[in-house]
Amino acid sequence: MRHLFHTVCLFFLIIVFSPPGAASAAGTTPATLLVTDSLASPNQTAMVEARLMSRGPAPTGLGGEPLELLVYGKVVATAVTGEDGTARLPFTPKAQGVIPVQVRVGESMRVAPTEGLGHLAIWERRNPIVAVELAALMAAPQAKPAASDARSKPEPEGTPLPDAADELGKLTQFYYRVMYVVPSASFGGDRFQASESSREWLKLHKFPTGYVLVVPVGEQAFGTAIDALHADGWKTVKTGIGRTKAFAEAFLQRRLDAVMVPEPAKGEAPRKAKVAKEWKEIRKKL
């Protein structure tokens, strides 16, 4: 009887003095949190999008969970995920630049602590922007299917073309802002994974930090993206550097400049497109 009494007392003390959340942490669900890049001007509200997914062979969206948006370590917005696990968090930036943003799960009894990172491009609308197709930076671009297991983030793939990072760095050092254009079709139509994987690849190969724009699946996706940017006031998107004919044609059809790199096969370049054999020639074509 005395032994039983001591056991009960010990159990009670463990519960009382355990750190807050320790009891619930053991039963929480591991999750993945992915964040897309956002574009805004100073003093204009930007919407940072995030998606919270369970891990495992068949990941699903986790709805009804609190998310927090942090800028420079300070919580600036909160939101609750919808049924599909996505949430939009508003933030009004003040100064120009491309800044890192962090989204994390708030206090949750169901989901284990996790976080995701993204970029917020804060540019003046008068700044010249060059749109660069991600495939134009790779020697051997590869289609990447959607990950079947969200336990790990998609790994960057593709070998960068010689001099691409250095030449793009020179373009963006004093003049251009860079927008990387990525088709979600290369990532099984998943725009969150496309954004995440592209940022990792660009960072790994030391490309200048910019805004990753993921376009949906479809033949007119590039053109639709340009029209949407112009309608939103980003009319300085006038130049595209791409690898595919569809990308170049989207700019040329709107009487904008298009440069193709590396030099495509004979007959693949649209009539009015400029062609660069390698990235060292790019600045001469702009």
Side-chain angles (χ1 to χ4, degrees):
M1 186 69 178
R2 180 178 298 177
H3 176 73
L4 178 60
F5 176 76
H6 287 166
T7 302
V8 171
C9 289
L10 179 61
F11 180 72
F12 176 77
L13 290 173
I14 290 173
I15 293 176
V16 170
F17 292 103
S18 291
S24 61
T28 53
T29 301
T32 298
L33 188 55
L34 299 178
V35 182
T36 61
D37 283 0
S38 303
L39 175 65
S41 293
N43 301 309
Q44 176 196 27
T45 299
M47 286 292 179
V48 177
E49 286 192 277
R51 184 181 66 181
L52 183 65
M53 302 286 290
S54 64
R55 296 183 186 177
T60 57
L62 299 173
E65 295 299 325
L67 298 184
E68 298 175 340
L69 172 65
L70 290 84
V71 178
Y72 297 127
K74 180 181 178 181
V75 177
V76 297
T78 60
V80 176
T81 57
E83 292 183 1
D84 61 350
T86 61
R88 304 179 75 206
L89 300 103
F91 174 64
T92 303
K94 303 299 181 184
Q96 290 194 69
V98 180
I99 63 174
V101 295
Q102 174 190 7
V103 179
R104 70 185 182 192
V105 175
E107 293 187 10
S108 173
M109 298 294 291
R110 187 166 66 116
V111 179
T114 187
E115 66 178 37
L117 303 176
H119 287 141
L120 174 56
I122 312 165
W123 296 333
E124 295 284 0
R125 293 180 184 274
R126 64 177 178 269
N127 294 147
I129 298 172
V130 60
V132 180
E133 187 180 16
L134 191 69
L137 304 173
M138 296 181 176
Q142 301 176 8
K144 181 176 179 63
S148 59
D149 189 342
R151 286 176 296 181
S152 60
K153 296 178 180 179
E155 293 296 327
E157 293 186 356
T159 302
L161 282 168
D163 303 307
D166 289 341
E167 291 300 317
L168 194 54
K170 293 174 184 177
L171 285 177
T172 59
Q173 187 173 7
F174 300 113
Y175 189 62
Y176 286 108
R177 306 295 186 268
V178 61
M179 173 185 296
Y180 298 102
V181 184
V182 183
S184 64
S186 299
F187 297 82
D190 190 326
R191 63 190 178 93
F192 286 92
Q193 288 190 358
S195 184
E196 171 77 12
S197 184
S198 300
R199 278 196 307 269
E200 288 195 4
W201 187 87
L202 291 164
K203 180 180 180 180
L204 176 67
H205 297 291
K206 297 179 173 56
F207 282 90
T209 304
Y211 167 56
V212 174
L213 173 65
V214 181
V215 299
V217 178
E219 294 182 1
Q220 304 301 320
F222 293 126
T224 300
I226 297 171
D227 293 340
L229 288 164
H230 286 182
D232 197 32
W234 299 101
K235 298 185 182 297
T236 56
V237 181
K238 297 180 178 180
T239 305
I241 301 174
R243 187 188 191 103
T244 64
K245 185 176 182 180
F247 185 86
E249 286 181 337
F251 281 83
L252 296 174
Q253 289 169 2
R254 290 157 179 81
R255 298 182 179 181
L256 304 173
D257 293 331
V259 183
M260 298 187 72
V261 64
E263 184 175 16
K266 186 175 181 180
E268 282 298 308
R271 183 171 60 87
K272 294 185 178 181
K274 300 174 184 179
V275 174
K277 292 183 179 181
E278 56 188 6
W279 266 92
K280 280 191 173 182
E281 297 182 1
I282 283 290
R283 282 182 290 160
K284 299 177 182 178
K285 304 292 181 178
L286 299 179

